[in-house]
Structure formats: C-alpha cells, structure tokens
Amino acid sequence: MKARVEAARSGRPQLPRARGDLSDSVISWLRAGEGPLPTREEVRCEAPYGADLQLALYVLYELHYQGFEGVDDDREWAPAPLSARRHLEEAFLTALRYDVPALGAQEAMAGLLTEPAADDGSNVSHYLKREGRLWQLREYAALRSLYHLKEADPHAWVLPRLRGRPKAGMAAIEFDEFGAGRAEDIHAQLFADLMADLALETAYGHYLDLAPAETLAVVNLMSLLGLHRSLRGALIGHFATVEVTSPPGSRRLAEAMRRTGAGSAAERFYDEHVEADAVHEQVVRTEVVDGLLKDEPDLEPDVAFGIGATTLLEGRLAAYLLAAWREDRSALPAPLPYVRARGLARSRA
C-alpha cells in the first residue's frame, strides 16, 4: 500500500489489481513486457460491460495518458498490446452499437435539451441534492476522479481531426477547460481541490481499484472515441452530451456540497461548471455540432451514437450508485479513509 501511494504522488500510479483473466494477462504483460495477451476468442467469452474486460481496456488506455509506475513509456505503441486492445474495443463497441437506439443527431440533441419536469428517481445529482450525505458525496467524487483528474484530455484528441467551425469551437471550450492559461484554474486542478475538501487522496488514478465496471466503462468510452479518427463524430456527440447536461446537474451538485458543508473548493468546482458550461452549451450546439454536420453530413449517425452511448453508460452508473445508496450501503468494495490535504490541492493545504 505504501508503494502504491508513493507512486501515485509522483504522478504515475501503480498498476491496479487484476479482476479476471483478461486484465491479469494485460497487467502481467505490462510489468514484464512479454507473455500472452487476450485473444479475440477469449475476449468474446467475457461480458463486454464486465469489470474484467473494462479494467483491461482501461489499463491499456492509460498508457496514452500518465502511464504507470515501472511501465516503460515505449509500451504505449507496442504492437502486441495494441492488438489486444483492438479485440477489447471491438467487443465493447459491438455491445454499444447493439444497445444504443438509432436516432438522428437532431432528435438525440433534442432529448438532451429537455430537462425533465420532475425527478424520475434515476438521476444521481437529484438524489445527492435532495438527500445525499457527505459519505455519498465522497464516494461519488472518488469514482468521478478517474475522469475529472484528466478532464478534457480525451476530447483534445479530436482537435487535429476537425477543421473550420467545429475545430475553432472545440478549441475555445478546451481552452476554458484547461484554465484559460492559468494552471490553478485547470478543471482537473479544481477537482483535486474539491477532493481535498472532501478529505480524499488527490493523486491521479488513486481510486482505480475501488471503481466498479460501470465507472470504468464511462471513462473508457471517452478514450475509445477520442483515440479513433473514425469515431470523431461519436466523440463530438459525447462531448455535446457532457456540455449540454452539465449546467443543471452541476447546479444540483453544488447545492449538495453546500447543504452538507463539504467546503468552498468543493462548491467552486460545480459552480464553475454551471457558469462555464452554460456558455459552452451554446458553442457546442451552434459551432461544434452544427458546424461538423454542415462540413461532414455523413457523420450524423455517429454524432447520435455518441450521444446515445454516453446516455446509456451514465444511466448504468447512476443505477449502480443509487441501488447501493438507497439501501444505505457503500457503492465501493472498501470504505474510504480520510486523508490530510496535500500540496497538490490548494484547499485546506
């Protein structure tokens, strides 16, 4: 455990614990640089949304972000794990295409823009605003940290694959996400500050071993869409979903932070997203999505697929969390310890 914490503080987390044969073979290969890796036939035998497949895929994707302690950076592009990753991606993508209903981009966008008149009981932010407790907010933040500590990074991969209006719109939004030139305002840093207010470990990837398959799938979708030029339309659909749904959800989460006395930095992260994403929503709709479809109309089904896949996986995660919390039990396999705020985060340092 001490080695794991020290590695995380250095910015490079240790490899996680395996959750089955697929993830075990991937993690073992990354440690040694040799050995068997999952074959297409082996991958087809596993549940596409299951923890084993999703962890194997997550670990391979992380080679394109911060990597892992003790894993050579050159393994990012080694042919063997790339081939194994392709098998895992095919299984994940096939399941998503089967489960996501076919819609047009405008119809899919319209569904995002209509905020339900009443809480139907399936929304995490509604639950946390109304009755969430501090321990539930801590669990939520710990799981969301797998993305928010690298917020906007997966979306940045689409920039070289766009041109004109959608490229300019995406770049403008990403500029805000990365702090508009101020390191202390990078959204990943703001989330680290939130975590410090909640007495959570702020190191990148620290809570990977506690994350359920549903969380891994949400994060993996971003990496899958961002890393493939052929899926650039779906990445824009995903990005649109995040930006359009963020303001009302962030407003509720900010209220939950205030109600439970989580701390000023915890409140600030979501307050910032209420304000910034309200502007981003307009840019996404008029410049990014509309601009892309005018430039490349054939990508409309892909944009709709990205919206549908994001909605599907976020719904699965919400159902998982709410099922546990409504039974007054943790959604994590182990309780979260309290930690002292560290230098990485400014709040309460």
Side-chain angles (χ1 to χ4, degrees):
M1 178 58 72
K2 181 179 179 181
R4 181 178 298 275
V5 171
E6 291 302 321
R9 288 178 192 163
S10 73
R12 293 170 65 96
Q14 282 199 340
L15 286 162
R17 293 187 291 271
R19 303 193 195 179
D21 292 339
L22 299 180
S23 54
D24 183 57
S25 61
V26 166
I27 292 167
S28 296
W29 193 97
L30 292 178
R31 283 200 182 101
E34 59 184 8
L37 282 163
T39 65
R40 179 176 280 108
E41 291 70 27
E42 290 170 336
V43 170
R44 285 175 176 171
C45 293
E46 297 296 328
Y49 301 134
D52 189 24
L53 187 147
Q54 290 297 324
L55 180 61
L57 193 52
Y58 184 98
V59 168
L60 290 171
Y61 283 147
E62 277 302 309
L63 299 180
H64 301 291
Y65 294 104
Q66 299 296 320
F68 292 98
E69 186 74 14
V71 176
D72 193 313
D73 286 342
D74 285 337
R75 289 178 189 163
E76 176 185 6
W77 297 110
L82 284 178
S83 178
R85 195 189 86 190
R86 187 60 177 169
H87 302 328
L88 297 164
E89 288 177 330
E90 287 173 352
F92 186 30
L93 194 54
T94 297
L96 289 171
R97 292 201 184 280
Y98 181 84
D99 291 334
V100 172
L103 298 174
Q106 297 307 319
E107 183 181 359
M109 283 292 293
L112 298 178
L113 294 169
T114 304
E115 179 76 359
D119 177 18
D120 65 0
S122 65
N123 188 287
V124 170
S125 65
H126 276 291
Y127 175 87
L128 291 175
K129 172 193 171 183
R130 184 180 62 251
E131 58 188 287
R133 286 176 282 173
L134 191 59
W135 67 267
Q136 294 166 335
L137 288 168
R138 295 182 75 238
E139 290 192 351
Y140 185 74
L143 295 180
R144 286 297 191 183
S145 71
L146 296 188
Y147 166 63
H148 281 305
L149 291 181
K150 59 172 175 251
E151 184 169 340
D153 288 350
H155 301 129
W157 279 321
V158 82
L159 286 170
R161 296 157 183 172
L162 302 175
R163 55 182 180 260
R165 285 172 56 201
K167 184 170 192 148
M170 278 292 297
I173 295 171
E174 290 286 275
F175 181 66
D176 286 347
E177 300 281 349
F178 292 129
R182 296 181 295 273
E184 67 274 14
D185 290 335
I186 293 174
H187 283 192
Q189 177 61 57
L190 296 182
F191 197 80
D193 297 342
L194 172 150
M195 295 178 75
D197 262 4
L198 293 173
L200 294 169
E201 174 60 64
T202 59
Y204 181 92
H206 180 80
Y207 293 105
L208 176 55
D209 278 328
L210 298 183
E214 290 80 1
T215 297
L216 299 177
V218 165
V219 182
N220 282 341
L221 177 66
M222 298 181 227
S223 300
L224 169 67
L225 302 181
L227 282 167
H228 291 272
R229 184 180 181 278
S230 63
L231 296 172
R232 64 193 180 281
L235 188 280
I236 294 302
H238 176 279
F239 187 70
T241 307
V242 172
E243 296 298 326
V244 170
T245 59
S246 176
S250 293
R251 185 176 294 107
R252 289 188 286 268
L253 289 168
E255 292 178 17
M257 295 294 176
R258 276 187 277 274
R259 182 177 58 77
T260 57
S264 59
E267 296 171 19
R268 185 194 173 195
F269 177 81
Y270 289 110
D271 284 335
E272 172 75 15
H273 281 69
V274 172
E275 181 178 347
D277 290 348
V279 177
H280 294 172
E281 174 194 336
Q282 300 301 317
V283 177
V284 167
R285 291 167 55 196
T286 61
E287 300 302 315
V288 180
V289 175
D290 290 350
L292 178 69
L293 294 181
K294 183 176 181 180
D295 196 34
E296 299 185 83
D298 291 346
L299 293 183
E300 180 173 2
D302 292 342
V303 173
F305 170 72
I307 294 171
T310 307
T311 303
L312 171 73
L313 295 180
E314 288 287 354
R316 288 173 56 86
L317 175 57
Y320 174 86
L321 293 173
L322 293 174
W325 293 342
R326 285 178 174 139
E327 294 179 359
D328 200 30
R329 59 181 173 84
S330 173
L332 307 180
L336 287 172
Y338 284 82
V339 299
R340 187 173 299 174
R342 307 184 195 285
L344 176 63
R346 292 169 290 144
S347 180
R348 298 184 181 175

